Amino acid sequence: MRDRIFEIVETDKSDDRISVIYDSVMMVLIIVSLIPLAFKESNMVFDVINAVTVTAFMVDYILRLITADLKLKKGVLSFFIYPFTFMALIDLAAILPAFLTALSGLRLIKLFRLFRTFRVLRTFHVFRSFKMFRYAKSVQIISNVIQQQKTPLLAVGSLAVGYVLISALIIFNVEPETFHNFFEAIYWATVSLTTVGYGDIYPITTIGRIVAMVSSFVGIAIVALPAGIITAGYMEQVQNNERNKDKK
């Protein structure tokens, strides 16, 4: 029984009709659950949507938890490891508002009274969108690419972080009257590195502007590197998938 549940909720087989239906239904529920976030007001329809989708997400979480050993293959230890995996945390965040509302309503724990604010609870609902990563094949391909290319991506990420910190240190000491604290310098360096340029904080001296120009030029190169790595890996992954289909 558990093996069949695992096949339905976890494995991706196009020839398993029940698994395909399950994935499709979950994808629809995820999209529907996000509809209330597009409105400021709440009504009975949105309450029903929230109740139905949260119940479905809870059932999905439980099914994945009771089959964790089949996924992680670590025996009994799998049931303790699984709740702390990335997607399990996303699943938990998707249903967390319902628990927080119940606890705060019953006033069982004073800490949870902080979460009674409607706006805070609505923010947690956004995590439901991340559940689509599990069911969208294109996202799965990108996830595989990132996993395979993690070494060069980490190298580029380290380079970007190092450059942001160095640029922040330089501009913070060049223009202390413009940047009141180091966080503002880091914010400016990050914005400049990505060539976004909001314009809320900017250097006003000649030396500071030269630093900004250099930072922008280097930022173009650094930002382009991960995009090239992911694109190349994505195309390779797609080609491999096509070859596997032809072999079948």
Side-chain angles (χ1 to χ4, degrees), residues 41 53 71-72 76 101 112 136 140 145 183-184 198 200 224 233:
E41 300 80 10
T53 54
K71 179 179 178 64
L72 301 180
V76 179
T101 301
F112 287 110
Q140 291 176 3
V145 170
F183 176 78
E184 288 187 356
Y198 291 118
D200 51 346

Side-chain angles (χ1 to χ4, degrees), residues 142-163:
I142 294 176
S143 177
N144 293 334
V145 170
I146 293 175
Q147 185 66 26
Q148 293 172 0
Q149 304 293 334
K150 62 181 178 181
T151 300
L153 287 175
L154 285 174
V156 174
S158 300
L159 176 63
V161 171
Y163 189 78

Side-chain angles (χ1 to χ4, degrees), residues 43-139:
N43 53 50
M44 187 177 67
V45 175
F46 292 164
D47 292 339
V48 171
I49 289 175
N50 186 59
V52 172
T53 54
V54 167
T55 301
F57 295 155
M58 289 174 62
V59 172
D60 178 71
Y61 182 83
I62 293 172
L63 292 177
R64 294 180 186 279
L65 180 61
I66 64 177
T67 58
D69 56 328
L70 301 176
K71 179 179 178 64
L72 301 180
K73 302 185 184 303
K74 295 183 181 295
V76 179
L77 191 61
S78 302
F79 299 106
F80 297 96
I81 297 176
Y82 178 76
F84 298 99
T85 60
F86 177 75
M87 287 308 303
L89 292 173
I90 293 298
D91 292 338
L92 184 61
I95 60 178
L96 190 61
F99 289 106
L100 294 177
T101 301
L103 289 171
S104 62
L106 294 173
R107 298 185 179 181
L108 295 177
I109 303 177
K110 291 183 178 180
L111 177 62
F112 287 110
R113 293 180 185 176
L114 298 174
F115 294 96
R116 296 182 67 184
T117 305
F118 181 65
R119 190 177 300 275
V120 175
L121 292 178
R122 282 171 63 90
T123 303
F124 275 97
H125 285 81
V126 177
F127 284 101
R128 296 176 181 176
S129 61
F130 292 100
K131 289 173 65 66
M132 289 189 288
F133 291 174
R134 179 182 282 124
Y135 304 102
K137 291 184 178 181
S138 59
V139 175

Side-chain angles (χ1 to χ4, degrees), residues 21-30 56-57 60 131 135:
I21 293 174
Y22 182 85
D23 291 349
S24 301
V25 170
M26 289 302 299
M27 180 66 82
V28 171
L29 288 175
I30 293 169
F57 295 155
D60 178 71
K131 289 173 65 66
Y135 304 102

